[in-house]
Amino acid sequence: MAEDFVAKHMESKTKAADFARATLVAQLAAQPVWDLIVIGGGATGLGVALDGLSRGYKTLLLEQDDYAKGTSSRSTKLVHGGVRYLAQGDIGLVREALYERGLLLKNAPHLVKNQDFIIPNYEWWGGAFYTIGLTLYDWLAGKLSLGPSVHLSKAETLQRLGNLRAAGLRGGVLYHDGQFDDARLAINLAQTAVELGGTLLNHFGVHGLLKDDSGNLAGVRATDQETGRSYELHARAVVNATGIFVDEVLQMDTPGAPKLVRPSQGVHLVLDKSFLPGNDALMIPKTDDGRVLFAVPWHGRVVLGTTDTPLDEYSAEPQALEEEIDFILRTAARYLTRAPKRSDALSVFAGLRPLAAPQNGSAKTKEISRSHKILVSAAGLITITGGKWTTYRRMGQDTVDKAIALGKLPAAASQTARLAIHGALPTPDRSSHLYVYGSDQPALRALIAQDPALGEKLDDALEFVKAEVVWAARCEMARTVEDVLARRVRVLFLDAAAALRMAPAVAALLAQELGHDAAWQRQQVAAFAAVAQYYLLQAQPAPLAAPA
């Protein structure tokens, strides 16, 4: 059966899947009862939907905003077991994550790569300590190991990390982990799901739950946010995979239900490549707040972070706090010869981790396990919370297994461990920024051949071209300027000021593709400018003048 499914999927990839919104919306009327409805289009929800489809279930996924709008586009861009979790003794989570890391590298090699990391050692005991620990890390990965950890001399460490502080340095330890583009992977997962016959709709919000006469969950009420039309959609199983918003869906099911999530904010700064000129990533194993700090090469820039700040109030567009920015810059200055300043930040982004709340409410967020949890309400709502990007596939598998165990779905085996993700190329050529499109590159280049104007850059200072906007609208389900510049082309995360410059051109291209007028373009540019302000790291605000 597994072979038949894989063969069927490979056959479907040779056909042109219809990603048009009108086609996907029309499928709502054609399916009176879904096997599985998934609420939430982040890594977790996409993992659940893909797993359900791999077993042959009729699956619908609804996302109130855009795929990976929240936490799933704001990670440190790592596919990893978690060195810090190993230090905390969470061997089970590390082993599981390392296994999933290996599968991701096989199933999405165009987006996931083997990245060298170096831990600089400024203590006499550090070399042996970290080498032993990382050897265990390699051992836990088993056959899916990305390579052995090795000790580096002081000279080798400085040569590979050209901007590293030399004073007091004793050497370094090199180890291997995965690096990826989070939002691009989410889009490819959505495309894969559609290719397998799934119905996925972004900008389609769930605002209520349907229950039968016995009080059992029977579906959802949802609204197409583009047309305002509402739907009642029935299902055998409903999964709440909404990340930091799981408690809002739980309130629809059981008003007054205790909160399951305790969010923690992580902040990253994006810098010019000159701050980490080599190909290696830097990992600082211990900082003032007890977390590790990473500096990771990403799309010709460097991602620096992260923080761990518990939050009581949160929104879909979190904002970096001044103390978080100062912490990252202060920590980086201890290790980098040329230390970054606020003015060096090309972009700053904040993400919220949907951590499973501890029962006693007293644990620090950095100590809360990243293992996922699955809960079932009295009415039958299946909620999954916690977890991490690396284990998205396993989270999806476990959630669908739970639906089967509850008798909501007929038994069938998951097929996602061997499922190639849309765009997968065995040996991707990363010489062009278009490598992230994987096997779609020829079609994208064909657009440019048909209309050379689409080969023009969106901004003279950056590499991205107009054809990418057209492709995002036609084949990647992008509906807004933010969808394109934040999660299809990633410019908002790489250079927020450049993204603002590009917005009018992107709006014009989208309007032509989606049939919108000039008023829509103006509204889109204004809406994007409002969001982009959160990604611009302004100069330190001047103190207010004393009143006269």
Side-chain angles (χ1 to χ4, degrees):
M1 179 177 178
E3 289 76 10
D4 291 343
F5 170 78
V6 173
K8 180 180 177 182
H9 174 54
M10 293 307 295
E11 179 183 351
S12 74
K13 291 184 70 168
T14 67
K15 302 175 182 177
D18 192 346
F19 300 109
R21 188 178 184 84
T23 301
L24 295 170
V25 171
Q27 293 170 2
L28 298 179
Q31 190 66 39
V33 180
W34 299 87
D35 293 322
L36 178 64
I37 291 180
V38 182
I39 310 172
T44 306
L46 290 165
V48 174
L50 201 56
D51 192 87
L53 288 160
S54 84
R55 305 183 199 222
Y57 304 137
K58 296 293 184 182
T59 301
L60 168 66
L61 180 146
L62 302 174
E63 162 57 45
Q64 67 177 350
D65 203 298
D66 184 31
Y67 308 112
K69 157 69 177 181
T71 304
S72 297
S73 63
R74 303 160 189 260
S75 74
T76 314
K77 321 308 178 194
L78 302 182
V79 179
H80 63 146
V83 173
R84 181 167 59 89
Y85 311 139
L86 182 63
Q88 293 174 354
D90 199 341
I91 301 296
L93 174 61
V94 174
R95 187 190 298 272
E96 176 182 271
L98 288 173
Y99 175 75
E100 294 299 327
R101 180 192 71 177
L103 293 183
L104 252 178
L105 188 62
K106 289 177 178 291
N107 294 333
H110 61 305
L111 292 178
V112 183
K113 70 170 185 174
N114 185 339
Q115 173 68 55
D116 290 349
F117 286 77
I118 295 176
I119 300 177
N121 170 32
Y122 291 91
E123 305 288 346
W124 66 266
W125 48 265
F129 178 80
Y130 292 119
T131 299
I132 293 171
L134 289 167
T135 298
L136 173 61
Y137 191 66
D138 300 335
W139 180 79
L140 288 172
K143 294 180 179 179
L144 294 177
S145 172
L146 301 185
S149 301
V150 296
H151 181 266
L152 301 177
S153 68
K154 176 178 179 179
E156 289 173 316
T157 303
L158 290 172
Q159 188 273 327
R160 297 187 67 146
L161 295 174
N163 192 31
L164 187 67
R165 177 171 62 84
L169 182 68
R170 293 173 178 268
V173 179
L174 181 146
Y175 73 98
H176 301 265
D177 239 327
Q179 192 264 358
F180 79 138
D181 187 314
D182 46 11
R184 289 296 314 173
L185 180 57
I187 302 308
N188 285 167
L189 291 175
Q191 290 171 302
T192 308
V194 172
E195 289 172 340
L196 292 177
T199 301
L200 283 77
L201 290 163
N202 52 352
H203 302 284
F204 213 107
V206 171
H207 55 79
L209 302 177
L210 302 176
K211 296 185 178 181
D212 61 21
D213 293 339
S214 300
N216 297 316
L217 193 61
V220 304
R221 294 186 181 89
T223 300
D224 184 339
Q225 296 177 354
E226 292 193 358
T227 65
R229 179 179 175 181
S230 293
Y231 297 79
E232 290 194 350
L233 303 162
H234 294 82
R236 296 179 175 87
V238 177
V239 173
N240 172 16
T242 53
I244 61 168
F245 299 111
V246 295
D247 289 320
E248 294 185 10
V249 177
L250 284 170
Q251 291 300 314
M252 298 179 193
D253 179 51
T254 308
K259 290 186 176 182
L260 291 182
V261 167
R262 183 182 182 185
S264 166
Q265 178 163 288
V267 168
H268 300 81
L269 304 182
V270 178
L271 308 171
D272 181 80
K273 186 68 174 68
S274 60
F275 286 94
L276 198 67
N279 296 319
D280 302 308
L282 169 66
M283 197 270 263
I284 305 302
K286 189 175 182 181
T287 63
D288 291 344
D289 76 344
R291 287 190 59 85
V292 299
L293 187 79
F294 288 101
V296 184
W298 190 61
H299 293 318
R301 286 82 173 172
V302 177
V303 175
L304 184 64
T306 182
T307 58
D308 191 3
T309 307
L311 295 181
D312 294 322
E313 297 182 0
Y314 50 92
S315 67
E317 199 58 67
Q319 186 170 5
L321 303 175
E322 284 298 320
E323 54 265 34
E324 294 177 302
I325 296 166
D326 290 342
F327 163 77
I328 292 174
L329 294 174
R330 184 175 66 251
T331 304
R334 295 178 183 173
Y335 295 91
L336 300 181
T337 302
R338 177 186 168 217
K341 304 183 293 295
R342 293 177 65 92
S343 58
D344 293 314
L346 300 172
S347 182
V348 55
F349 60 92
L352 302 178
R353 306 177 187 91
L355 304 181
Q359 292 184 349
N360 60 15
S362 62
K364 297 178 181 179
T365 54
K366 65 176 179 290
E367 297 170 352
I368 300 175
S369 174
R370 265 48 172 182
S371 297
H372 56 278
K373 295 182 180 179
I374 300 172
L375 301 99
V376 183
S377 74
L381 175 65
I382 302 171
T383 295
I384 178 164
T385 186
K388 50 188 287 189
W389 235 125
T390 306
T391 59
Y392 88 92
R393 191 209 65 83
R394 180 59 185 268
M395 293 164 69
Q397 177 180 308
D398 289 353
T399 304
V400 178
D401 282 347
K402 173 63 73 172
I404 293 171
L406 293 170
K408 294 180 178 295
L409 298 172
S414 171
Q415 307 296 328
T416 54
R418 295 180 55 216
L419 178 61
I421 304 304
H422 181 99
L425 276 178
T427 54
D429 178 1
R430 302 181 188 273
S431 59
S432 163
H433 80 280
L434 297 178
Y435 79 83
V436 297
Y437 295 95
S439 60
D440 284 336
Q441 284 184 74
L444 192 63
R445 295 185 188 279
L447 285 179
I448 298 172
Q450 294 165 10
D451 183 358
L454 295 179
E456 297 172 358
K457 290 185 175 183
L458 290 165
D459 185 272
D460 289 339
L462 283 87
E463 58 268 36
F464 308 102
V465 298
K466 293 179 178 179
E468 295 178 78
V469 180
V470 173
W471 183 261
R474 293 182 186 177
C475 300
E476 296 182 344
M477 297 172 274
R479 308 299 297 177
T480 70
V481 169
E482 184 192 336
D483 291 353
V484 173
L485 289 176
R487 291 170 292 278
R488 305 308 188 279
V489 181
R490 309 313 312 267
V491 184
L492 182 59
F493 286 77
L494 295 170
D495 190 328
L500 277 170
R501 297 195 300 267
M502 292 180 183
V506 171
L509 288 164
L510 278 180
Q512 184 174 352
E513 285 295 315
L514 304 178
H516 295 303
D517 59 15
W520 180 88
Q521 294 182 49
R522 291 191 293 272
Q523 180 275 328
Q524 279 291 301
V525 171
F528 180 73
V531 170
Q533 296 304 313
Y534 292 104
Y535 295 77
L536 289 166
L537 187 53
Q538 308 291 351
Q540 187 72 38
L544 294 175

